[in-house]
């Protein structure tokens, strides 16, 4: 079997970590990235147990020079990346837009939009020159319509949709594929990060509903990557069964 390589941003937690596990179990050698190098090292140990080769690259996707240096440091035998999963991202705060925190806005825009673009700019040219590759961007139901307090986060995920659509058009002459996955409520560290470590508030987000897990999203990412070469899964909206939209959730009392 041909060697397959996936690069996943934000593999230290949640959806990215689940994708790393799924792709490693599915026969991919795995490049795992994120800011917390110690978590990447423990994930490496687990992934190697599935028989995967693992390359750990700790860096911040917001730091364009660090992204460039990390990509340039990839050894020759790892450079033919088949799948790039642009997953690193976060929400910060749930305040009304007119009361939003400037630092929170910067962090979301710099990570979810500019970080994703940094990765795309440095990895996709190799895919184009090999005429082979797949970019899976983690968007969100939040990008389909704003919800109360979602304002800037929702805007970043709307941007991920437009950036995915634009890239899909630009790579259409090649065999490169682009997928935008749009999850709804997934129980990860997402809400702890959004609420700046307020775990009690984070837990309430998932009360009264069985939320999705990172594994559920990893399954869809793996399915998209495994589709026949002529099939491009362009966009998928994945909701928990009792979630109707970004702002409608039925909760058992
Ligand atoms: P987690 O908080 O569990 O994971 C987020 C990951 O992103 C971590 O691995 C973190 O790694 C990484 N990350 C954050 N900032 C940076 C940065 N500047 N540079 C590099 N890596 C970074 O949340 P999720 O798994 O839920 O989130 C993953 C993606 O899924 C995000 O894009 C999110 O918007 C999206 N999403 C989440 C949903 C949910 O309900 N959970 C629903 C829809 C979309 P580290 O801290 O080590 O850098
Ligand atoms: C994460 C899902 O609905 O909390 O993008 O914004 S939501």
């Amino acid at each position: 079997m041909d060697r397959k390589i996936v690069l996943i941003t934000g593999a230290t937690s949640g959806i990215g970590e689940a994708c790393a596990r799924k792709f490693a179990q599915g026969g991919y050698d795995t490049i795992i990235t994120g800011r917390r190098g110690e978590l990447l090292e423990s994930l490496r140990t687990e992934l190697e147990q599935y028989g995967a080769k693992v390359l750990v690259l700790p860096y911040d996707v917001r730091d364009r020079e660090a992204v460039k240096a990390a990509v340039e440091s990839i050894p020759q035998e790892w450079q033919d990346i088949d799948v790039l999963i642009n997953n690193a991202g976060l929400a910060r705060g749930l305040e009304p837009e007119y009361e939003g925190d400037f630092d929170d806005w910067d962090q979301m825009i710099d990570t979810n939009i500019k970080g994703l673009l940094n990765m795309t700019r440095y990895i996709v040219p190799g895919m184009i020159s090999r005429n082979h590759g797949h970019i899976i961007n983690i968007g969100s139901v939040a990008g389909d319509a704003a919800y109360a307090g979602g304002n800037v986060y929702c805007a970043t995920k709307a941007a991920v949709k437009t950036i995915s659509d634009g890239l899909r058009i630009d790579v259409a002459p090649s065999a490169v594929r682009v997928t935008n996955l749009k999850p709804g409520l997934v129980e990860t560290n997402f809400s702890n990060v959004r609420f700046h470590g307020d775990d009690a508030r984070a837990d309430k987000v998932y009360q009264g509903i069985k939320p999705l897990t990172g594994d559920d999203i990893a399954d869809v990412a793996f399915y998209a990557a495994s589709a026949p070469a002529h099939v491009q899964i362009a966009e998928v909206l994945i909701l928990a069964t009792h979630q109707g939209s970004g702002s409608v959730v039925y909760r058992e009392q």
Side-chain angles (χ1 to χ4, degrees):
M1 196 175 71
D2 284 347
R3 184 182 189 204
K4 291 179 292 185
I5 299 174
V6 63
L7 188 157
I8 302 163
T9 67
T12 57
S13 174
I15 294 170
E17 182 182 348
C19 285
R21 205 167 276 128
K22 178 76 186 179
F23 279 75
Q25 290 170 343
Y28 279 76
D29 290 336
T30 307
I31 306 175
I32 48 175
T33 80
R35 290 167 300 178
R36 289 170 292 175
E38 72 287 358
L39 294 181
L40 295 174
E41 285 301 337
S42 43
L43 182 59
R44 176 214 292 272
T45 306
E46 181 192 337
L47 300 182
E48 285 177 345
Q49 287 167 9
Y50 308 135
K53 289 195 173 64
V54 180
L55 181 66
V56 167
L57 289 180
Y59 62 88
D60 186 325
V61 292
R62 292 172 294 177
D63 182 341
R64 191 166 291 149
E65 286 307 313
V67 173
K68 183 169 183 279
V71 171
E72 285 175 355
S73 79
I74 295 175
Q76 181 70 38
E77 67 271 22
W78 281 91
Q79 284 180 8
D80 292 356
I81 294 165
D82 298 286
V83 181
L84 165 65
I85 304 185
N86 272 322
N87 162 78
L90 75 181
R92 296 295 260 172
L94 197 63
E95 286 77 34
E97 191 168 313
Y98 54 86
E99 292 176 352
D101 181 277
F102 289 109
D103 290 337
D104 284 351
W105 290 354
D106 285 346
Q107 193 174 359
M108 289 187 280
I109 291 167
D110 290 348
T111 309
N112 301 0
I113 303 177
K114 293 169 74 177
L116 179 145
L117 283 170
N118 289 339
M119 290 304 302
T120 302
R121 183 65 184 85
Y122 284 118
I123 297 293
V124 176
M127 293 179 169
I128 295 293
S129 66
R130 293 188 296 278
N131 195 32
H132 174 79
H134 193 158
I135 302 94
I136 299 178
N137 289 333
I138 306 298
S140 172
V141 65
D144 284 357
Y147 55 75
N151 45 71
V152 173
Y153 176 69
C154 295
T156 67
K157 291 302 179 176
V160 171
K161 180 194 163 31
T162 305
I163 287 166
S164 304
D165 290 347
L167 182 63
R168 198 176 303 109
I169 293 165
D170 294 340
V171 302
S174 77
V176 173
R177 305 186 289 190
V178 181
T179 298
N180 180 26
L181 293 188
K182 305 189 298 182
L185 288 172
V186 188
E187 191 163 14
T188 61
N189 281 319
F190 176 85
S191 293
N192 310 67
V193 171
R194 165 169 257 173
F195 299 129
H196 295 267
D198 183 341
D199 291 342
R201 192 173 176 201
D203 287 346
K204 283 204 182 108
V205 174
Y206 310 108
Q207 270 172 14
I209 182 170
K210 185 173 169 55
L212 299 166
T213 65
D215 291 338
D216 296 323
I217 309 309
D219 285 347
V220 181
F222 192 78
Y223 176 83
S226 309
H230 69 287
V231 178
Q232 178 172 220
I233 311 285
E235 191 171 289
V236 187
L237 175 65
I238 311 140
L239 299 178
T241 298
H242 291 292
Q243 179 169 18
S245 73
S247 51
V248 176
V249 177
Y250 172 78
R251 296 177 195 274
E252 277 184 14
Q253 300 304 314

